[in-house]
Amino acid sequence: MQYKVGNIFLFLSFTPAEKGQFLALDLGGSKFKVLQVKVREGMGIRRGGVEMEEKTYPIPKELLVGRGTELFDHVSESLKDFLHEKNISLDKKHPLAFTFSFACEQSSLDQGSLLGWSKNYRARGLQGKDVVQALRDAIDRTGGMDIEVLAMVNDTVATMMTCGFDDNYCEVGLIIGTGTNACYMEELRHVDLVEGDEGRMCVNTEWGAFGDDGALDDYLTEFDRDVDAASNNQGKQIFEKMVSGMYLGELVRLVVLKMAKLGLLFDGHVSDALRTKGKITTANVAAMEEYKNGLKNTRDILTGLSLTPSQDDCIAVQHVSTIVSFRSSNLVAAGLAAILTRIKQNRNLRALRITVGVDGAVYKTHPQYPKRLHKVVRRLLPECHVRFVLSDSGSSKGAALVTAVAQRLASQKRKVDETLSPFRLSHEQLQLVKARMRAGLEAGLKRKGSTAIKMLPSFVYRTPDGTEHGKYLALDLGGTNFRALLVNFKKGLQQNTRLHHKIYTIPLEIMQGTGEELFDHIAECISDFLDYMGLKNARLPAGFTFSFPCEQTALDTGTLVSWTKGFKATDCEGHDVVSMLREAIKRRNDFDLDIAAVVNDTVGTMMSCAYEDPQCEVGLIAGTGTNVCYMEELKNIEKTEQSTGQKMCINTEWGGLGDDGSLDDIITPYDVEVDQTSINPGKQRFEKLTSGMYLGEVVRQVLLDLTRGGLLFRGHVTEALKTAGIFQTKYLSQIESDRLALLQVRSILQGLGLDSTCNDSIIVKQVCGTVSRRAAQLCGAGMAAVVDKIRENRGLDHLNVTVGVDGALYKLHPHFSGVLQETARVLAPQCNVTFLPSEEGSGKGAALITAVPLLLTRQQETSSESS
Ligand code: BG6
Ligand code: BG6
Ligand code: GLC
Ligand code: GLC
């Protein structure tokens, strides 16, 4: 019996600063009305700044049961007439609110399919159809008007909204009119049909259908059964038929008729009028129960039915009327008590203070009804403070406000979408990125000297074969942290590799101080680790993962080409990092190491994963920075002397793609800003679109722009938002987690000093999602280029290959890996790529490279092969 009605909870969390001029249609109550609602600027509905003009249009009876299109044509013609009569310009676009008082299944504010007619409506061809679309179509058919139907709401919802403007506690809407129904604010976590679990959403109960499953059978009288049998919708709306205005008079008539037939009234006389359906109306019922004039009214009504009632007859008929209307108010009281009890339980309250907004002819015109209803509700719920507020201006005020919010949200959404559109890459654009990556790889292999993608030989000729053994020290510098590890390999026992490690943070002032300070700091960390392991005096072989571009001439030397990511220590570029580390160790003079290899983190990761999976011939880092290495045919590495033999692992340094301008067509102004304010402007352009160190900054730039445009954070650019680096990857990952409720997103943002509303949180999440999706797609496109190259190198139609992966973005972000894999799959359909996350970091790989069999140079291998 519950139907969702759109994200109305959003609206409730807003300050009512809505403004504008709206047309409104109110269809489904006793009157069909067209209205104009003006909400004056700066005042808001809450402060009474609303002007309304309305006109009631009769609906010919045959239209109620004719074709749906004709009914809606009439609605639309009436609208046009209204515009004409009120001199409202036909040239301008007018937003419109639609109160449609029937059961509709909604998936958004401006969509709703009709579940079924009720009351006196039965137009054909609309059931199951989107009513908003039907209205739009009718407006098009009428022509000559520019109308935007922005929201459709049930009358209960619109009534709750109308009353809610003056009373914050109004969280229930009740109609006791032609039909009856109630809506209330339910906790979103209980609304299965709608995503999200924070906040509340207004649920239109359609309680009129209570009893359609037989639940009220015990309470049904023969008169109820007769009313149902003679209705448009037999077996439907059972509760409504016991309660609402369309049926009360009829119930009284049937009881009076039976009593007359039994000789209990009018001396057994029965008139034709009394036999005629609809001859006693709810207005009659109200009149009969009027204080003072009730009896006289009863006599007049009965006389009008060609009856000659005695005084006793009048008293008896008045009594019948009271019993029927009392039953109605008691049933409504019981229904309301059920809703209020639920709200109270939802919120874990012992007492509840709440306001019920009410409308409908029965409630408004029956002299005793409100009093009786209030009394019984209060008796049923003595612990609740329930206030009833009559919606004196109908439901359109509320419908207009919902529409105002819908309009603002729609325009806001449009602007946010426009801002984000340059981040949404088409398939063609991704193909182009793949092609440019491929061209970059080729160029880097050919040319010595500076190319955008450096393609650095690693002097690692093959992946591990399981024969590695012994104890090694591994040092890992360049990711989020510095790590020192002790690795113990046992021959052929891949699973039993013993690892001990310790993590050290590198303070920013060290990353960006002098080279000597940086390497002294590292030496100090190693010394601490050896102390910790009790190995100060063992001269262990060590592998050094150094996650920056290094020009290598052998496995154990590497000249830093340029710093990337957050490092900028002086006097390092152009120097051999292994020598610098050796010198720092010498300066300390408290331990010694045999540094046998320096490797990039991609290479270390590939080796580490290849230890488990021999198909692993690619290493990928998606972390602070981004990079890829892969096994290239030696003959293709034209810039090196060694042009015969098998393969060598190449550290691509793909982060540099675009440094020659080749990505300028996809780079957004936000990316430019991030690049310009970085420590290496113009460098690592691909990395700046794709890796953890920069994504948060790109997001921040977009948020700044949206805030300046008034679309976010109420337009306030705060100090927090101006602070570079507030969005670390871990926050992006948390914000984008599907498991997280909006409330939690909000609390993350608040933790970052960004005071956000619920809607702000939605936008921030959308921005994060768009920026990280682009990152993953770009990496996927790059990966497609790499694996296709490997496939072509080998002249294969199809390649199975494993990519060893590491990095916080890949491992912690909820969607990055999925999008990356999907993009690679689509863009390299001839490759079957398995992504294998590295378990132990790249240090294990560095240690493997250090392990003896891999130390063999290619020449050594060839000579041993030939001997
Ligand atoms: C009106 C509202 O005041 O009350 C309508 O504007 C609503 O939206 C109606 O349907 C319900 O009462 P009745 O008595 O007209 O059915
Ligand atoms: C680690 C590796 O696990 O991941 C490092 O051991 C690598 O070598 C790092 O640099 C990359 O990820 P992040 O997120 O720390 O930059
Ligand atoms: C009927 C409709 C319902 C409406 C009520 C009051 O029960 O099905 O949607 O709210 O009448 O108008
Ligand atoms: C940067 C470095 C590169 C490293 C990558 C991932 O791009 O230049 O060497 O592999 O970050 O850490």
Side-chain angles (χ1 to χ4, degrees):
M1 238 176 38
Q2 291 186 350
Y3 307 112
K4 57 185 167 167
V5 293
N7 280 351
I8 292 187
F9 76 98
L10 282 179
F11 142 74
L12 284 178
S13 62
F14 286 168
T15 48
E18 312 304 334
K19 58 177 191 288
Q21 200 163 313
F22 304 92
L23 291 170
L25 297 171
D26 186 353
L27 180 73
S30 50
K31 292 177 188 155
F32 162 50
K33 289 188 270 188
V34 184
L35 304 94
Q36 184 178 37
V37 187
K38 285 186 201 166
V39 186
R40 266 182 273 129
E41 183 147 17
M43 297 191 73
I45 288 176
R46 197 178 291 245
R47 297 192 192 93
V50 188
E51 277 174 32
M52 294 193 0
E53 283 197 85
E54 63 173 60
K55 188 176 172 191
T56 299
Y57 287 85
I59 302 190
K61 266 207 173 107
E62 61 276 15
L63 286 186
L64 297 178
V65 294
R67 292 226 312 263
T69 45
E70 284 166 12
L71 173 66
F72 273 67
D73 282 345
H74 176 72
V75 167
S76 159
E77 297 288 348
S78 307
L79 174 63
K80 193 167 182 185
D81 177 81
F82 182 81
L83 293 176
H84 188 71
E85 193 180 307
K86 304 286 175 198
N87 271 329
I88 300 170
S89 158
L90 290 177
D91 307 328
K92 263 183 29 201
K93 192 182 204 96
H94 298 285
L96 181 137
F98 186 24
T99 305
F100 183 69
S101 309
F102 299 95
C104 286
E105 178 113 53
Q106 293 192 249
S107 57
S108 64
L109 271 178
D110 67 345
Q111 184 279 337
S113 69
L114 177 64
L115 291 170
W117 289 113
S118 53
K119 300 177 279 194
N120 49 344
Y121 282 70
R122 207 182 49 191
R124 294 190 302 277
L126 277 180
Q127 192 151 332
K129 300 267 165 59
D130 177 7
V131 183
V132 175
Q133 194 51 46
L135 177 61
R136 286 178 182 143
D137 293 346
I139 292 171
D140 285 348
R141 279 196 299 276
T142 302
M145 295 179 282
D146 195 0
I147 304 284
E148 192 177 6
V149 188
L150 284 171
M152 181 182 76
V153 284
N154 186 260
D155 52 354
T156 52
V157 180
T159 298
M160 182 188 79
M161 295 295 174
T162 302
C163 299
F165 305 141
D166 301 314
D167 184 337
N168 276 331
Y169 290 98
C170 185
E171 297 195 68
V172 179
L174 171 65
I175 300 281
I176 318 158
T178 316
T180 183
N181 192 10
C183 72
Y184 72 100
M185 297 305 289
E186 176 58 271
E187 310 303 303
L188 206 53
R189 64 177 187 276
H190 295 154
V191 187
D192 288 348
L193 301 161
V194 184
E195 245 181 67
D197 55 4
E198 184 226 355
R200 297 182 185 140
M201 183 187 264
C202 182
V203 169
N204 165 15
T205 63
E206 287 293 330
W207 78 8
F210 181 39
D212 292 9
D213 57 356
L216 286 173
D217 283 0
D218 286 356
Y219 295 81
L220 291 182
T221 63
E222 59 180 282
F223 311 106
D224 295 309
R225 294 186 203 278
D226 285 348
V227 164
D228 180 45
S231 70
N232 269 340
N233 51 348
Q234 270 178 39
K236 299 267 161 64
Q237 302 291 102
I238 297 300
F239 184 71
E240 181 159 270
K241 286 171 186 165
M242 298 169 85
V243 162
S244 78
M246 188 158 154
Y247 310 96
L248 288 188
E250 193 54 12
L251 285 169
V252 170
R253 186 185 70 82
L254 292 172
V255 177
V256 171
L257 177 63
K258 176 160 184 191
M259 288 172 76
K261 280 183 180 163
L262 291 174
L264 298 171
L265 289 172
F266 320 126
D267 290 331
H269 177 74
V270 178
S271 67
D272 282 348
L274 187 59
R275 286 184 213 276
T276 310
K277 185 180 168 194
K279 280 291 174 184
I280 297 182
T281 62
T282 300
N284 294 152
V285 175
M288 289 194 267
E289 288 178 64
E290 224 176 71
Y291 182 61
K292 278 188 189 156
N293 292 332
L295 264 186
K296 181 185 169 300
N297 292 344
T298 309
R299 177 178 300 277
D300 292 347
I301 291 160
L302 294 173
T303 315
L305 295 173
S306 313
L307 298 162
T308 25
S310 66
Q311 180 70 1
D312 279 353
D313 288 340
C314 291
I315 293 173
V317 171
Q318 195 186 37
H319 199 57
V320 169
S321 169
T322 307
I323 288 174
V324 168
S325 63
F326 229 126
R327 185 184 67 157
S328 163
S329 62
N330 281 342
L331 286 171
V332 170
L336 205 53
I339 289 181
L340 298 179
T341 306
R342 174 163 179 98
I343 296 177
K344 192 164 70 94
Q345 281 168 355
N346 274 345
R347 301 179 194 178
N348 246 337
L349 297 170
R350 272 212 273 145
L352 177 72
R353 176 177 175 184
I354 198 153
T355 298
V356 180
V358 200
D359 206 345
V362 174
Y363 187 85
K364 278 200 290 205
T365 59
H366 191 290
Q368 327 284 349
Y369 203 98
K371 237 185 354 209
R372 293 179 191 157
L373 172 69
H374 303 172
K375 206 168 153 188
V376 179
V377 169
R378 287 177 189 137
R379 205 184 308 141
L380 290 172
L381 297 171
E383 69 286 12
C384 295
H385 177 81
V386 189
R387 183 173 175 240
F388 291 84
V389 173
L390 176 69
S391 154
D392 50 1
S393 51
S395 65
S396 296
K397 220 156 99 171
L401 192 90
V402 173
T403 308
V405 175
Q407 186 182 40
R408 182 160 54 76
L409 289 180
S411 121
Q412 191 181 36
K413 185 174 182 312
R414 253 194 314 273
K415 289 186 193 147
V416 172
D417 280 347
E418 264 164 40
T419 305
L420 292 177
S421 74
F423 289 96
R424 302 206 167 100
L425 301 177
S426 66
H427 179 73
E428 288 68 34
Q429 283 174 305
L430 291 171
Q431 289 276 21
L432 273 174
V433 171
K434 176 187 171 191
R436 290 168 191 166
M437 181 64 83
R438 176 67 186 262
L441 300 176
E442 304 285 0
L445 285 175
K446 281 201 184 82
R447 252 182 296 140
K448 267 198 171 151
S450 81
T451 47
I453 302 185
K454 297 184 182 71
M455 301 299 274
L456 303 167
S458 70
F459 294 84
V460 169
Y461 296 95
R462 67 171 204 218
T463 51
D465 59 9
T467 58
E468 302 73 14
H469 62 277
K471 269 191 190 164
Y472 302 89
L473 187 67
L475 311 168
D476 186 354
L477 177 74
T480 315
N481 297 303
F482 173 70
R483 294 212 295 174
L485 307 85
L486 184 73
V487 193
N488 191 357
F489 298 113
K490 296 205 171 119
K491 233 183 202 167
L493 286 176
Q494 275 92 332
Q495 306 308 325
N496 288 343
T497 311
R498 295 256 317 273
L499 272 164
H500 301 275
H501 79 164
K502 220 173 152 182
I503 292 174
Y504 301 85
T505 50
I506 309 247
L508 188 72
E509 60 274 18
I510 302 262
M511 285 186 196
Q512 304 189 354
T514 68
E516 206 171 285
E517 281 161 355
L518 172 65
F519 282 94
D520 281 346
H521 180 76
I522 296 168
E524 192 183 323
C525 297
I526 304 171
S527 166
D528 174 82
F529 180 69
L530 293 174
D531 271 339
Y532 167 75
M533 296 300 302
L535 287 166
K536 214 42 177 293
N537 299 320
R539 192 171 186 269
L540 288 169
F544 182 21
T545 303
F546 183 71
S547 309
F548 302 93
C550 283
E551 202 75 73
Q552 290 188 259
T553 48
L555 199 52
D556 62 349
T557 64
T559 305
L560 176 63
V561 181
S562 54
W563 284 119
T564 53
K565 301 177 281 195
F567 282 74
K568 208 172 87 178
T570 54
D571 303 320
C572 296
E573 291 178 353
H575 296 272
D576 174 22
V577 293
V578 179
S579 310
M580 280 191 281
L581 181 55
R582 281 191 188 125
E583 279 155 26
I585 293 170
K586 211 180 281 165
R587 276 196 293 278
R588 286 191 67 84
N589 200 24
D590 62 345
F591 68 92
D592 205 0
L593 281 186
D594 180 11
I595 304 169
V598 59
V599 297
N600 187 262
D601 51 356
T602 53
V603 182
T605 299
M606 178 189 79
M607 295 301 277
S608 170
C609 292
Y611 193 55
E612 262 107 66
D613 176 353
Q615 265 188 3
C616 182
E617 297 192 72
V618 183
L620 165 69
I621 299 287
T624 315
T626 183
N627 193 12
V628 152
C629 73
Y630 71 100
M631 296 305 290
E632 180 55 276
E633 309 297 312
L634 263 180
K635 64 176 186 313
N636 291 342
I637 313 173
E638 292 176 33
K639 61 185 179 186
T640 63
E641 313 292 292
Q642 311 158 347
S643 54
T644 52
Q646 295 274 305
K647 296 174 197 160
M648 192 204 279
C649 180
I650 292 285
N651 164 18
T652 65
E653 289 292 328
W654 79 0
L657 177 71
D659 291 5
D660 52 1
S662 71
L663 291 177
D664 285 0
D665 54 346
I666 63 162
I667 280 172
T668 69
Y670 309 106
D671 300 311
V672 171
E673 190 61 33
V674 170
D675 175 48
Q676 289 302 313
T677 51
S678 69
I679 57 172
N680 52 351
K683 297 273 159 53
Q684 300 292 98
R685 301 308 298 274
F686 184 73
E687 180 158 88
K688 285 172 187 164
L689 307 180
T690 51
S691 77
M693 183 160 164
Y694 306 98
L695 292 192
E697 274 303 281
V698 179
V699 166
R700 193 178 65 86
Q701 291 299 336
V702 177
L703 298 186
L704 268 172
D705 194 31
L706 291 174
T707 309
R708 288 190 187 114
L711 294 163
L712 203 59
F713 304 136
R714 302 180 185 89
H716 297 320
V717 177
T718 54
E719 282 309 311
L721 195 57
K722 283 194 256 172
T723 312
I726 53 163
F727 279 107
Q728 296 166 21
T729 316
K730 67 173 177 200
Y731 296 125
L732 290 198
S733 300
Q734 285 171 15
I735 288 171
E736 285 189 62
S737 161
D738 290 334
R739 288 201 306 272
L740 217 62
L742 279 181
L743 197 63
Q744 288 163 291
V745 172
R746 207 154 126 198
S747 78
I748 295 173
L749 293 175
Q750 274 159 356
L752 298 176
L754 299 171
D755 189 17
S756 65
T757 63
C758 197
N759 198 45
D760 289 338
S761 310
I762 293 176
I763 295 178
V764 171
K765 195 166 176 175
Q766 190 186 354
V767 174
C768 293
T770 310
V771 170
S772 63
R773 183 175 171 80
R774 179 187 66 159
Q777 286 179 320
L778 288 172
C779 282
M783 184 52 73
V786 171
V787 291
D788 251 354
K789 175 155 183 24
I790 300 176
R791 182 181 61 77
E792 286 171 31
N793 280 346
R794 301 182 194 172
L796 296 172
D797 279 342
H798 187 86
L799 174 77
N800 285 326
V801 66
T802 297
V803 176
V805 205
D806 209 339
L809 190 56
Y810 187 92
K811 286 185 165 169
L812 301 182
H813 193 280
H815 308 301
F816 186 92
S817 58
V819 176
L820 161 76
Q821 293 177 25
E822 176 59 13
T823 312
R825 191 185 64 75
V826 171
L827 294 182
Q830 288 166 274
C831 300
N832 179 16
V833 189
T834 306
F835 288 80
L836 178 63
S838 140
E839 302 248 311
E840 324 278 9
S842 68
K844 180 171 134 190
L848 278 165
I849 293 168
T850 311
V852 182
L854 291 166
L855 261 175
L856 298 174
T857 63
R858 191 191 54 82
Q859 283 90 345
Q860 283 171 305
E861 277 187 79
T862 5
S863 58
S864 64
E865 272 159 22
S866 55
S867 65

